Amino acid sequence: MSTAEETAGGDTQPWGEVTPDAARRLLLAAVEAFAERGYHATTTRDIAGRAGMSPAALYIHYKTKEELLHRISRIGHEKALDILRTAARGEGAATERLADAVSSFVRWHARGRTTARVVQYELDSLGPDARAEIVGLRRQVDAEVRGIIEDGVRSGEFDVPDVPGTTLAVLSLCIDVARWFNVDGPRTPEQVGELYADLVLRMVGAKNAETA
């Protein structure tokens, strides 16, 4: 499955907002190159070649290679935040909202695993200003999950002595799916999402983890 196919339909990455078409093609090419070779080993010539364009054409849309990575990372983190925020602010008890948050977040990382690997693992390749912006988005992502867990502790649904540490563990578990998920493997993104939701509910000591 190509990166373009992974991101079709808006379920993984909202690349439709990237215009014009040439800019979108370059962004998709950059995702593939960064995921395959790593940011530092990728050149602007590599990206332009994958997009079927000249290196000079790239600079019409992106001033630098870092600008491409920054835009990929920002869009990806905004999508991740939207997924978790929607779950956190949904109806239902904390157990239901945490299960929804985890399953949705895992599905996103599985379906768009190539993009997610770049979004989640190339943070240190960004310059100070861009990195600071992305770190701010990551803190918001953390806050959404932490908020659900705190709600569950207050309501008596969860037994969590260390909320910050557990939040980090939950997010790490979900994010790592992008590293190992294989579209030809034995489980679909939906099945992995259900499995991880159950695992996380057990992790937080949810009273009805088996039936949530």
Side-chain angles (χ1 to χ4, degrees):
M1 182 182 293
S2 70
T3 304
E5 289 171 328
E6 282 184 14
T7 59
D11 203 330
T12 51
Q13 291 283 2
W15 299 132
E17 68 185 43
V18 179
T19 57
D21 180 68
R24 181 176 181 273
R25 283 165 51 202
L26 286 163
L27 186 142
L28 287 167
V31 169
E32 292 175 351
F34 294 156
E36 180 182 315
R37 307 188 62 183
Y39 175 79
H40 292 294
T42 298
T43 66
T44 53
R45 184 175 294 276
D46 294 331
I47 296 167
R50 286 172 185 259
M53 301 166 68
S54 70
L58 184 148
Y59 295 108
I60 295 174
H61 303 284
Y62 302 99
K63 295 178 182 177
T64 64
K65 182 176 71 169
E66 185 193 344
E67 184 179 335
L68 264 167
L69 177 61
H70 181 206
R71 189 163 193 192
I72 292 164
S73 189
R74 185 178 67 246
I75 291 173
H77 280 87
E78 287 173 346
K79 178 60 177 178
L81 178 59
D82 181 63
I83 288 169
L84 293 173
R85 185 171 283 160
T86 297
R89 299 180 183 181
E91 297 181 358
T95 298
E96 296 171 287
R97 288 185 285 124
L98 184 59
D100 185 30
V102 170
S103 61
S104 299
F105 203 42
V106 165
R107 289 197 304 271
W108 182 73
H109 282 84
R111 290 173 179 165
R113 61 202 177 283
T114 304
T115 300
R117 284 199 299 272
V118 176
V119 169
Q120 299 292 2
Y121 297 117
E122 288 287 0
L123 176 64
D124 290 338
S125 298
L126 292 170
D129 292 342
R131 189 180 190 281
E133 180 186 1
I134 302 306
V135 167
L137 288 170
R138 288 195 176 205
R139 286 175 178 155
Q140 293 180 62
V141 165
D142 180 279
E144 294 297 337
V145 176
R146 187 173 65 249
I148 301 174
I149 296 175
E150 288 172 342
D151 286 348
V153 171
R154 281 193 295 269
S155 67
E157 294 172 68
F158 303 158
D159 180 13
V160 180
D162 182 349
V163 171
T166 301
T167 300
L168 177 61
V170 169
L171 287 171
S172 297
L173 191 68
C174 296
I175 289 169
D176 196 54
V177 169
R179 182 185 59 79
W180 64 260
F181 184 79
N182 184 342
V183 69
D184 296 319
R187 289 189 172 95
T188 65
E190 290 73 21
Q191 289 171 329
V192 178
E194 290 177 7
L195 171 64
Y196 274 46
D198 180 68
L199 291 172
V200 167
L201 292 182
R202 293 174 189 276
M203 182 189 300
V204 299
K207 298 296 188 292
N208 57 341
E210 295 183 2
T211 59

